[in-house]
Amino acid sequence: MHNFEKPLYSVYPTIYCSGSIYVNDVPVIDWFGEETEGVGGYAGDNLVNHVLLESGKYKVVGKMFPRQGQENITEEEVMMIDFFCAEADPGKWKDTRHKFHPRIESPWDGLSEGVKHKYFEIMTEIEVELPYVLDGWQNSVDLTKMDEDDLFQEVIAYYRQVLSVLEIKDAPKFLELSMEKMKLQEQAFYFSEERKQSFKNGISKLFNQNLEVESLDEKELKLEIIGNGKLVRLIKRDGTQPLQFKSPDKTKQSNIELEIKLHMRSKNHGFTII
């Protein structure tokens, strides 16, 4: 294990297909939609402290799906995941960053020739050491015990509430709805006061662009219970997020997707973003 005062854990996936990366049964990367067409892919370092919550062992799962426009995962599609840890101090991050767990990857020689794969999964278990225990969703309501149709209606009602906030470009209200999530991330990533303010300024800047918002169509949406039964989100059937700001120029930039996850500390408390 490390001797860092403020460790930052990250996964670095390389995705040449459609796919998601789950850590502690929570999606940290979703790569779907038009961007997956052709031969391009996704690669990038993604911090995961905010889904780990405390020290321990956690499952990491890479879920591979066909690219948009394809029915199956071809032999050319691959996924790999590297694992990094570093000291959060900006002055030490570069020198301390190191791989703390072996890479996992799909077969280098491609998936089985002649077999039509609509889904493929890679998996491992990582162990992390954190200086805190975050008050996340560990003790929230087990949503798997609720009627799924009722749950869907409650969740989409909350999404419609958020959508109305996006439509009127009410950044302060959005920040208010996201307060629980922001506090958790501030702790997880050791945010300074300057970094906290920078995050809020980024939200305000986004809302001030006055971009149009995609509408919600219930028929396009499906419910996903995650976080070992304690979290829920809606996802479009093509794998993209339901809440999106429309791009001002699709030739230069795709839509801006806002991913939210909900939990319920108690049934009386109702859903909140986390």
Side-chain angles (χ1 to χ4, degrees), residues 119-135:
Y119 175 73
F120 192 81
E121 189 174 283
I122 58 176
M123 183 190 309
T124 192
E125 184 180 74
I126 61 173
E127 184 171 6
V128 304
E129 185 178 16
L130 292 164
Y132 51 65
V133 177
L134 298 180
D135 180 20

Side-chain angles (χ1 to χ4, degrees), residues 32-237:
F32 292 94
E34 295 177 359
E35 293 178 311
T36 70
E37 294 180 343
V39 296
Y42 171 92
D45 204 27
N46 300 266
L47 299 176
V48 296
N49 286 36
H50 63 303
V51 300
L52 297 171
L53 304 179
E54 57 185 294
S55 300
K57 294 181 179 180
Y58 297 96
K59 184 186 293 185
V60 177
V61 181
K63 300 185 177 185
M64 299 176 65
F65 297 92
R67 292 178 181 272
Q68 180 165 297
Q70 294 180 182
E71 294 186 2
N72 302 293
I73 306 170
T74 72
E75 295 175 46
E76 285 73 37
E77 268 77 70
V78 297
M79 175 184 284
M80 63 188 75
I81 308 173
D82 289 303
F83 303 87
F84 292 94
C85 183
E87 174 62 65
D89 185 329
K92 300 178 181 178
W93 182 85
K94 184 176 180 179
D95 292 334
T96 61
R97 185 171 182 262
H98 69 282
K99 290 187 178 183
F100 74 94
H101 186 85
R103 170 188 287 182
I104 60 171
E105 59 192 2
S106 57
W108 262 111
D109 55 353
L111 302 184
S112 302
E113 186 175 358
V115 178
K116 294 183 178 180
H117 292 277
K118 295 188 181 297
Y119 175 73
F120 192 81
E121 189 174 283
I122 58 176
M123 183 190 309
T124 192
E125 184 180 74
I126 61 173
E127 184 171 6
V128 304
E129 185 178 16
L130 292 164
Y132 51 65
V133 177
L134 298 180
D135 180 20
W137 49 89
Q138 302 99 315
N139 301 310
S140 298
V141 172
D142 185 351
L143 302 173
T144 62
K145 296 180 179 179
M146 295 181 63
D147 179 83
E148 192 164 313
D149 290 336
D150 292 341
L151 180 60
F152 180 84
Q153 292 305 318
E154 288 191 46
V155 172
I156 197 168
Y158 196 99
Y159 269 68
R160 291 195 186 284
Q161 179 186 350
V162 177
L163 180 67
S164 67
V165 172
L166 302 183
E167 288 174 333
I168 63 174
K169 311 300 185 292
D170 190 344
K173 181 62 177 179
F174 182 78
L175 289 170
E176 179 186 328
L177 291 173
S178 305
M179 186 62 66
E180 193 175 356
K181 175 182 178 179
M182 287 193 302
K183 287 183 177 179
L184 184 143
Q185 291 188 340
E186 288 168 2
Q187 292 175 281
F189 302 135
Y190 321 102
F191 279 179
S192 64
E193 290 302 318
E194 181 181 1
R195 182 66 183 88
K196 293 177 187 179
Q197 189 58 49
S198 174
F199 178 84
K200 294 177 182 178
N201 291 344
I203 293 294
S204 297
K205 185 177 180 180
L206 172 61
F207 277 62
N208 287 339
Q209 292 183 54
N210 290 316
L211 300 175
E212 289 186 61
V213 181
E214 293 274 7
S215 59
L216 287 178
D217 182 351
E218 285 192 30
K219 297 188 294 295
E220 288 187 3
L221 303 176
K222 58 182 179 179
L223 191 75
E224 185 180 16
I225 298 175
I226 52 181
N228 300 307
K230 304 299 181 68
L231 296 172
V232 67
R233 69 173 183 171
L234 295 178
I235 203 80
K236 294 175 75 171
R237 297 198 178 276

